[in-house]
Every structure is written in C-alpha cells, then in structure tokens.
Amino acid sequence: RIASIASDAERRRAFERAAAELADALAHLHGRGVMHGDICPANVRLAADGRAVLLDLGLAGPPTPGAGAARGTLGYAAPEALTGARTAVADLFALGATLFASWTGAPPFGAGVAAVQRMLTGRAPTLSSVRAGLPVAWDRLLERLLAPDSRDRPSSARQLLREIGRAVANGETPTEVDLGVPYP
C-alpha cells in the first residue's frame, strides 16, 4: 500500500507513478471503447517492480446510460454509477477516489451506504487536509476528479494524463509536454 510507505519522498514517487500508470491504463481502455466500471483499491495491484496494474474487468464494457442497477464499489463509485451508468468520467471519479485512498489510507467518503450518503450531500475533503506531502496541484486535481457533477471532471483519461504530468512537475512543464498528445 502506498499510504504505508514510510519515506515521504518514496511515497510521493510511488503515488505519482501509480496515478500516471492508472490514468494511462484507462486511456488505453477508453480509447478502445471499454469502460472499467469498478476502479477501487481492491482492483489495483502494485507489481514487484512497483508498476500499478488495473485488475478485474468483470464490470467492464461499452459506455451505457443509467439503467437502474448500481455499478461499482460503494465509496468509490461515481454518483451516476449509482444509477447504472458506465462512462469514462465515472471511471475518472473512481480513479480519483482510489488515488485519494492510496495517499491517505482511507477513501474520501468512507465505505458502504454511509459513503454514498456523504458523497451525495457534500464534497470530498481536500487531499492535503487529510495528509500533507503533495503540491497543491494534487488538491485541485483530486477535487476535480471527485466533483459530484460529471461535467466538472476532466473530460478524458488522456486529458487527465496531461494534468498528472503538470501536477508531478508542480505546474512547471515544458510547452511541448503541455501540447503533446499522451499515447497510452
């Protein structure tokens, strides 16, 4: 678990690497028309070399509008996933909740039905208010990922990759990185 890494510098490197690798995995899936549908810490493993690997594609499939049955793990699933929607931005919300938990050791809204109630009635706490150690750019990025309104989240995993690059560089990226197309 990333949250349990003792060294602040090592924990930050592992977190930033995992964030980029998971966003890259989503960009790959989404680019092929596949939404994961259940991103949560239980479905992410760190390989022996430290690489973050996205697992369990049991709920994966093409985008679908809300059909009534909730999808995903409570505490990580986006508000729209509670109505059965399977979308790219719902995956990004779940990734945000997973990243929040990987840094702090706890999901942003808690777990289970109580988490759903908190998610529907308020915003997630700021990442740095739970655990310091990352630049303020990460607070802003996680706030956007965990936005209750899907229109306020990054538009795609590719866009998220760019924003992660900026957050890792603390906003000081060369122009060619900002303008470049990330290739998953």
Side-chain angles (χ1 to χ4, degrees):
R1 294 186 47 152
I2 292 172
S4 63
I5 297 173
S7 163
D8 291 342
E10 286 180 39
R11 184 175 51 253
R12 180 176 171 182
R13 277 192 299 278
F15 173 82
E16 290 174 339
R17 179 180 179 186
E21 289 170 347
L22 293 172
D24 186 47
L26 282 181
H28 180 82
L29 286 173
H30 294 171
R32 283 150 183 78
V34 177
M35 308 304 117
H36 187 279
D38 192 18
I39 299 167
C40 63
N43 292 335
V44 175
R45 293 288 183 268
L46 292 179
D49 63 359
R51 214 172 12 96
V53 179
L54 188 57
L55 306 171
D56 191 357
L57 297 170
L59 293 178
T64 58
R71 294 180 189 269
T73 301
L74 298 181
Y76 297 91
E80 62 271 21
L82 299 176
T83 65
R86 183 172 47 208
T87 66
V89 291
D91 275 355
L92 295 181
F93 181 98
L95 176 59
T98 299
L99 292 174
F100 189 100
S102 75
W103 182 254
T104 65
F109 301 102
V113 175
V116 172
Q117 292 170 331
R118 282 189 287 278
M119 177 183 59
L120 295 175
T121 59
R123 296 189 71 87
T126 306
L127 188 63
S128 63
S129 72
V130 179
R131 184 177 204 170
L134 291 171
V136 71
W138 283 103
D139 281 343
R140 290 190 301 267
L141 182 53
L142 268 286
E143 182 180 358
R144 288 187 57 229
L145 285 170
L146 296 171
D149 187 336
S150 62
R151 295 171 294 192
D152 296 332
R153 296 181 207 138
S155 60
S156 69
R158 284 181 179 240
Q159 177 61 37
L160 178 59
L161 278 170
R162 282 190 190 95
E163 293 183 34
I164 289 171
R166 287 186 205 111
V168 168
N170 204 15
E172 299 177 14
T173 57
T175 303
E176 55 273 6
V177 171
D178 285 339
L179 296 177
V181 177
Y183 293 98

